[in-house]
Amino acid sequence: MSDYEGGPANDDDLSLPRATVYKLIAEMLPDDVACAKDTRDLLLDCCNEFIHLIASESNEICEKEAKKTIAAEHVLAALRELGFEKYVGEVEEAYGEHRQQQTKDRGRKSTKLNRLGLSEEELLRSQEFLFAQARMRFQNQAAQGAPDGGGGSGGGSA
Amino acid sequence: MRKKDKTKFPVARIKKIMQMDEEVGKMAQATPVLISKSLELFMQSIVDDVSKHARACNARKISPTHLKRCVESTECYDFLKDIVESVVDDGDGGGAEVCVAKVAEMEEGGVEAQIKSEGLGGGGGGAP
């Protein structure tokens, strides 16, 4: 792990990155409306608060089910509970996409060796074969070097 | 639909923010990803809603006052009341009640009502 400390120095100052939120606000605003600077800061606070809200509610729901890990289902239930049921559809879609991506990543990790389709025994045999070839090449080189009168080092001409 | 779809929230940061709450423990990998999506939708909702309030006051810029009125008139934004508490309503557009009523009217009547009142409507124009 690197020593890069990319976030705020103090854990209590944690917030979403300002630039990201400001950019999103600008992208989301309709063409005929702008946003005042102090309103932007308030919206940033609202976003942070939203995270705390959903986190807290999801955690409660998770505990009620006697589970220790907050799962996707808990987040969806929290959204419904808090009056954000209209978000559930798209959030479920995002969940589906996330799972697809995870399956792809997992598949990619193990294909390297599996793709060859060789068993371990076959791999061992081919490895020994390659060693034998290399050995022969080496011996041939050494044999060719002999007529020069040199030993193993082959030459020594200036 | 958003104009651009590339800006995303940092998932790792979201997880850290969630864990500021001591009660929050372990979570599945997907969890902060879903919260990120929810946050996007929340931002779009609140920007849309506050924009309506700005328009109702014929303002070009969203001010803290508009945000405050929006929060106070929408039930699911109750959790934001503390954040806007310190904002002083500057009486823009005739005051909070006038604007909130206007927004409600706009929402009931739909877009047609708004276009009509701006004189851009199709048939029937001109008749008082």
Short mmCIF file of all heavy atoms in Angstrom, two decimals, chain A residues 69-106:
data_model
loop_
_atom_site.label_atom_id
_atom_site.label_comp_id
_atom_site.label_asym_id
_atom_site.label_seq_id
_atom_site.Cartn_x
_atom_site.Cartn_y
_atom_site.Cartn_z
N THR A 69 -23.42 -7.33 7.74
CA THR A 69 -22.91 -6.58 6.60
C THR A 69 -24.05 -5.89 5.88
O THR A 69 -25.03 -6.54 5.50
CB THR A 69 -22.19 -7.54 5.63
OG1 THR A 69 -21.25 -8.30 6.37
CG2 THR A 69 -21.48 -6.78 4.53
N ILE A 70 -23.90 -4.59 5.69
CA ILE A 70 -24.96 -3.85 4.99
C ILE A 70 -24.93 -4.24 3.51
O ILE A 70 -23.93 -4.04 2.81
CB ILE A 70 -24.73 -2.32 5.10
CG1 ILE A 70 -24.65 -1.91 6.57
CG2 ILE A 70 -25.87 -1.58 4.41
CD1 ILE A 70 -24.41 -0.42 6.76
N ALA A 71 -26.05 -4.81 3.07
CA ALA A 71 -26.12 -5.30 1.69
C ALA A 71 -26.96 -4.37 0.81
O ALA A 71 -27.61 -3.45 1.29
CB ALA A 71 -26.72 -6.70 1.68
N ALA A 72 -26.95 -4.65 -0.48
CA ALA A 72 -27.71 -3.85 -1.44
C ALA A 72 -29.19 -3.77 -1.07
O ALA A 72 -29.81 -2.71 -1.16
CB ALA A 72 -27.54 -4.42 -2.84
N GLU A 73 -29.73 -4.92 -0.65
CA GLU A 73 -31.16 -4.96 -0.31
C GLU A 73 -31.49 -3.98 0.81
O GLU A 73 -32.56 -3.38 0.84
CB GLU A 73 -31.55 -6.38 0.14
CG GLU A 73 -31.73 -7.36 -1.00
CD GLU A 73 -30.43 -7.75 -1.66
OE1 GLU A 73 -29.38 -7.72 -0.99
OE2 GLU A 73 -30.45 -8.05 -2.87
N HIS A 74 -30.56 -3.81 1.74
CA HIS A 74 -30.80 -2.90 2.85
C HIS A 74 -30.87 -1.46 2.36
O HIS A 74 -31.66 -0.65 2.84
CB HIS A 74 -29.71 -3.06 3.91
CG HIS A 74 -29.60 -4.45 4.43
ND1 HIS A 74 -28.38 -5.06 4.71
CD2 HIS A 74 -30.53 -5.39 4.72
CE1 HIS A 74 -28.59 -6.29 5.15
NE2 HIS A 74 -29.89 -6.52 5.16
N VAL A 75 -29.99 -1.14 1.40
CA VAL A 75 -29.99 0.21 0.85
C VAL A 75 -31.32 0.48 0.14
O VAL A 75 -31.93 1.53 0.31
CB VAL A 75 -28.82 0.41 -0.13
CG1 VAL A 75 -28.89 1.77 -0.78
CG2 VAL A 75 -27.48 0.24 0.57
N LEU A 76 -31.78 -0.49 -0.64
CA LEU A 76 -33.04 -0.32 -1.37
C LEU A 76 -34.20 -0.15 -0.41
O LEU A 76 -35.07 0.70 -0.60
CB LEU A 76 -33.28 -1.52 -2.30
CG LEU A 76 -32.27 -1.67 -3.44
CD1 LEU A 76 -32.40 -3.02 -4.13
CD2 LEU A 76 -32.45 -0.56 -4.47
N ALA A 77 -34.21 -0.96 0.65
CA ALA A 77 -35.28 -0.85 1.63
C ALA A 77 -35.23 0.51 2.31
O ALA A 77 -36.26 1.14 2.57
CB ALA A 77 -35.15 -1.96 2.67
N ALA A 78 -34.03 1.00 2.58
CA ALA A 78 -33.87 2.31 3.22
C ALA A 78 -34.45 3.41 2.34
O ALA A 78 -35.14 4.31 2.82
CB ALA A 78 -32.39 2.58 3.51
N LEU A 79 -34.17 3.34 1.05
CA LEU A 79 -34.70 4.35 0.13
C LEU A 79 -36.22 4.38 0.18
O LEU A 79 -36.83 5.44 0.23
CB LEU A 79 -34.22 4.07 -1.30
CG LEU A 79 -32.74 4.35 -1.58
CD1 LEU A 79 -32.35 3.85 -2.96
CD2 LEU A 79 -32.45 5.85 -1.48
N ARG A 80 -36.82 3.17 0.19
CA ARG A 80 -38.28 3.11 0.24
C ARG A 80 -38.79 3.71 1.53
O ARG A 80 -39.74 4.48 1.56
CB ARG A 80 -38.75 1.66 0.13
CG ARG A 80 -38.59 1.08 -1.25
CD ARG A 80 -39.30 -0.25 -1.38
NE ARG A 80 -38.87 -0.91 -2.60
CZ ARG A 80 -37.96 -1.86 -2.65
NH1 ARG A 80 -37.40 -2.32 -1.55
NH2 ARG A 80 -37.60 -2.38 -3.81
N GLU A 81 -38.13 3.34 2.61
CA GLU A 81 -38.54 3.78 3.94
C GLU A 81 -38.51 5.30 4.08
O GLU A 81 -39.32 5.90 4.76
CB GLU A 81 -37.59 3.14 4.97
CG GLU A 81 -38.01 3.29 6.40
CD GLU A 81 -39.28 2.54 6.72
OE1 GLU A 81 -39.51 1.47 6.11
OE2 GLU A 81 -40.06 3.03 7.55
N LEU A 82 -37.51 5.93 3.43
CA LEU A 82 -37.30 7.37 3.61
C LEU A 82 -38.04 8.23 2.60
O LEU A 82 -37.83 9.44 2.55
CB LEU A 82 -35.79 7.66 3.54
CG LEU A 82 -34.99 7.03 4.67
CD1 LEU A 82 -33.51 7.00 4.33
CD2 LEU A 82 -35.20 7.80 5.96
N GLY A 83 -38.87 7.60 1.77
CA GLY A 83 -39.65 8.39 0.83
C GLY A 83 -38.97 8.60 -0.51
O GLY A 83 -39.34 9.48 -1.28
N PHE A 84 -37.97 7.77 -0.81
CA PHE A 84 -37.27 7.90 -2.09
C PHE A 84 -37.53 6.68 -2.97
O PHE A 84 -36.65 6.23 -3.71
CB PHE A 84 -35.76 8.06 -1.84
CG PHE A 84 -35.40 9.31 -1.09
CD1 PHE A 84 -34.90 9.24 0.20
CD2 PHE A 84 -35.57 10.56 -1.67
CE1 PHE A 84 -34.59 10.39 0.91
CE2 PHE A 84 -35.25 11.72 -0.96
CZ PHE A 84 -34.76 11.64 0.32
N GLU A 85 -38.75 6.14 -2.90
CA GLU A 85 -39.03 4.92 -3.67
C GLU A 85 -38.87 5.15 -5.17
O GLU A 85 -38.57 4.22 -5.91
CB GLU A 85 -40.40 4.31 -3.36
CG GLU A 85 -41.62 5.18 -3.16
CD GLU A 85 -41.60 6.11 -1.99
OE1 GLU A 85 -41.64 5.63 -0.83
OE2 GLU A 85 -41.52 7.33 -2.24
N LYS A 86 -39.02 6.39 -5.61
CA LYS A 86 -38.87 6.64 -7.05
C LYS A 86 -37.45 6.38 -7.54
O LYS A 86 -37.21 6.25 -8.74
CB LYS A 86 -39.29 8.06 -7.39
CG LYS A 86 -38.55 9.11 -6.60
CD LYS A 86 -39.12 10.50 -6.85
CE LYS A 86 -38.55 11.45 -5.82
NZ LYS A 86 -38.87 12.83 -6.01
N TYR A 87 -36.47 6.31 -6.61
CA TYR A 87 -35.10 6.05 -7.02
C TYR A 87 -34.83 4.55 -7.19
O TYR A 87 -33.85 4.16 -7.83
CB TYR A 87 -34.10 6.56 -5.98
CG TYR A 87 -34.14 8.04 -5.69
CD1 TYR A 87 -33.45 8.56 -4.61
CD2 TYR A 87 -34.85 8.93 -6.50
CE1 TYR A 87 -33.48 9.90 -4.32
CE2 TYR A 87 -34.88 10.28 -6.21
CZ TYR A 87 -34.19 10.77 -5.12
OH TYR A 87 -34.22 12.11 -4.83
N VAL A 88 -35.69 3.72 -6.59
CA VAL A 88 -35.37 2.30 -6.48
C VAL A 88 -35.10 1.64 -7.84
O VAL A 88 -34.15 0.88 -7.98
CB VAL A 88 -36.50 1.55 -5.72
CG1 VAL A 88 -36.34 0.06 -5.83
CG2 VAL A 88 -36.48 1.95 -4.26
N GLY A 89 -35.92 1.96 -8.84
CA GLY A 89 -35.75 1.35 -10.16
C GLY A 89 -34.35 1.54 -10.72
O GLY A 89 -33.65 0.58 -11.04
N GLU A 90 -33.92 2.81 -10.77
CA GLU A 90 -32.60 3.08 -11.35
C GLU A 90 -31.46 2.55 -10.49
O GLU A 90 -30.42 2.13 -11.00
CB GLU A 90 -32.43 4.59 -11.55
CG GLU A 90 -33.18 5.08 -12.78
CD GLU A 90 -32.85 6.53 -13.10
OE1 GLU A 90 -31.69 6.79 -13.43
OE2 GLU A 90 -33.77 7.37 -13.02
N VAL A 91 -31.65 2.57 -9.19
CA VAL A 91 -30.59 2.06 -8.31
C VAL A 91 -30.45 0.55 -8.50
O VAL A 91 -29.33 0.02 -8.52
CB VAL A 91 -30.89 2.41 -6.83
CG1 VAL A 91 -29.87 1.77 -5.91
CG2 VAL A 91 -30.86 3.92 -6.65
N GLU A 92 -31.58 -0.12 -8.70
CA GLU A 92 -31.52 -1.56 -8.96
C GLU A 92 -30.78 -1.85 -10.26
O GLU A 92 -29.99 -2.78 -10.36
CB GLU A 92 -32.94 -2.15 -9.04
CG GLU A 92 -33.50 -2.51 -7.69
CD GLU A 92 -34.90 -3.09 -7.76
OE1 GLU A 92 -35.64 -2.73 -8.70
OE2 GLU A 92 -35.24 -3.88 -6.88
N GLU A 93 -31.01 -0.99 -11.26
CA GLU A 93 -30.29 -1.14 -12.53
C GLU A 93 -28.79 -1.02 -12.31
O GLU A 93 -28.01 -1.80 -12.83
CB GLU A 93 -30.72 -0.03 -13.48
CG GLU A 93 -31.80 -0.42 -14.45
CD GLU A 93 -32.15 0.75 -15.37
OE1 GLU A 93 -31.22 1.33 -15.96
OE2 GLU A 93 -33.34 1.07 -15.48
N ALA A 94 -28.42 -0.01 -11.53
CA ALA A 94 -27.00 0.21 -11.26
C ALA A 94 -26.41 -1.00 -10.55
O ALA A 94 -25.27 -1.40 -10.81
CB ALA A 94 -26.81 1.46 -10.40
N TYR A 95 -27.19 -1.63 -9.69
CA TYR A 95 -26.74 -2.82 -8.97
C TYR A 95 -26.49 -3.95 -9.97
O TYR A 95 -25.46 -4.63 -9.90
CB TYR A 95 -27.81 -3.22 -7.94
CG TYR A 95 -27.45 -4.40 -7.08
CD1 TYR A 95 -26.13 -4.63 -6.68
CD2 TYR A 95 -28.43 -5.30 -6.65
CE1 TYR A 95 -25.80 -5.71 -5.87
CE2 TYR A 95 -28.10 -6.37 -5.85
CZ TYR A 95 -26.80 -6.58 -5.46
OH TYR A 95 -26.49 -7.65 -4.66
N GLY A 96 -27.42 -4.12 -10.90
CA GLY A 96 -27.25 -5.15 -11.92
C GLY A 96 -25.99 -4.94 -12.73
O GLY A 96 -25.22 -5.87 -12.95
N GLU A 97 -25.75 -3.70 -13.14
CA GLU A 97 -24.55 -3.40 -13.92
C GLU A 97 -23.29 -3.69 -13.11
O GLU A 97 -22.31 -4.21 -13.63
CB GLU A 97 -24.55 -1.93 -14.34
CG GLU A 97 -25.50 -1.63 -15.47
CD GLU A 97 -25.69 -0.13 -15.68
OE1 GLU A 97 -24.83 0.65 -15.20
OE2 GLU A 97 -26.70 0.24 -16.30
N HIS A 98 -23.33 -3.34 -11.84
CA HIS A 98 -22.18 -3.56 -10.96
C HIS A 98 -21.85 -5.05 -10.87
O HIS A 98 -20.69 -5.45 -10.96
CB HIS A 98 -22.48 -2.99 -9.58
CG HIS A 98 -21.48 -3.32 -8.53
ND1 HIS A 98 -20.28 -2.65 -8.40
CD2 HIS A 98 -21.46 -4.29 -7.58
CE1 HIS A 98 -19.59 -3.17 -7.40
NE2 HIS A 98 -20.28 -4.17 -6.88
N ARG A 99 -22.89 -5.87 -10.73
CA ARG A 99 -22.65 -7.31 -10.62
C ARG A 99 -22.09 -7.89 -11.90
O ARG A 99 -21.20 -8.74 -11.87
CB ARG A 99 -23.96 -8.02 -10.25
CG ARG A 99 -24.28 -7.87 -8.78
CD ARG A 99 -25.72 -8.14 -8.51
NE ARG A 99 -25.96 -9.54 -8.25
CZ ARG A 99 -27.16 -10.08 -8.13
NH1 ARG A 99 -28.23 -9.31 -8.26
NH2 ARG A 99 -27.33 -11.35 -7.88
N GLN A 100 -22.58 -7.39 -13.03
CA GLN A 100 -22.06 -7.85 -14.31
C GLN A 100 -20.58 -7.53 -14.42
O GLN A 100 -19.78 -8.36 -14.86
CB GLN A 100 -22.80 -7.18 -15.46
CG GLN A 100 -24.10 -7.84 -15.79
CD GLN A 100 -24.74 -7.23 -17.02
OE1 GLN A 100 -24.23 -6.26 -17.60
NE2 GLN A 100 -25.85 -7.76 -17.43
N GLN A 101 -20.23 -6.32 -13.99
CA GLN A 101 -18.84 -5.89 -14.08
C GLN A 101 -17.96 -6.76 -13.20
O GLN A 101 -16.86 -7.14 -13.57
CB GLN A 101 -18.73 -4.42 -13.64
CG GLN A 101 -17.36 -3.80 -13.89
CD GLN A 101 -16.95 -3.87 -15.34
OE1 GLN A 101 -17.71 -3.55 -16.25
NE2 GLN A 101 -15.73 -4.31 -15.60
N GLN A 102 -18.46 -7.12 -12.01
CA GLN A 102 -17.69 -7.95 -11.09
C GLN A 102 -17.44 -9.33 -11.68
O GLN A 102 -16.35 -9.88 -11.56
CB GLN A 102 -18.45 -8.10 -9.77
CG GLN A 102 -18.32 -6.89 -8.89
CD GLN A 102 -18.58 -7.23 -7.44
OE1 GLN A 102 -19.62 -7.78 -7.12
NE2 GLN A 102 -17.65 -6.90 -6.58
N THR A 103 -18.46 -9.89 -12.35
CA THR A 103 -18.32 -11.21 -12.96
C THR A 103 -17.26 -11.16 -14.05
O THR A 103 -16.41 -12.05 -14.15
CB THR A 103 -19.65 -11.68 -13.57
OG1 THR A 103 -20.69 -11.42 -12.63
CG2 THR A 103 -19.60 -13.15 -13.89
N LYS A 104 -17.27 -10.08 -14.84
CA LYS A 104 -16.28 -9.93 -15.90
C LYS A 104 -14.87 -9.90 -15.31
O LYS A 104 -13.97 -10.57 -15.77
CB LYS A 104 -16.52 -8.62 -16.65
CG LYS A 104 -17.36 -8.74 -17.88
CD LYS A 104 -17.28 -7.47 -18.70
CE LYS A 104 -18.62 -7.22 -19.39
NZ LYS A 104 -18.76 -5.87 -19.86
N ASP A 105 -14.70 -9.08 -14.25
CA ASP A 105 -13.38 -8.94 -13.64
C ASP A 105 -12.89 -10.27 -13.08
O ASP A 105 -11.71 -10.59 -13.20
CB ASP A 105 -13.43 -7.90 -12.52
CG ASP A 105 -13.67 -6.51 -13.08
OD1 ASP A 105 -13.46 -6.32 -14.29
OD2 ASP A 105 -14.05 -5.62 -12.30
N ARG A 106 -13.79 -11.03 -12.46
CA ARG A 106 -13.40 -12.31 -11.88
C ARG A 106 -12.96 -13.27 -12.98
O ARG A 106 -11.97 -13.98 -12.85
CB ARG A 106 -14.58 -12.92 -11.11
CG ARG A 106 -14.24 -13.22 -9.67
CD ARG A 106 -15.42 -13.76 -8.94
NE ARG A 106 -16.31 -12.72 -8.49
CZ ARG A 106 -17.64 -12.81 -8.53
NH1 ARG A 106 -18.22 -13.85 -9.02
NH2 ARG A 106 -18.40 -11.82 -8.09
#
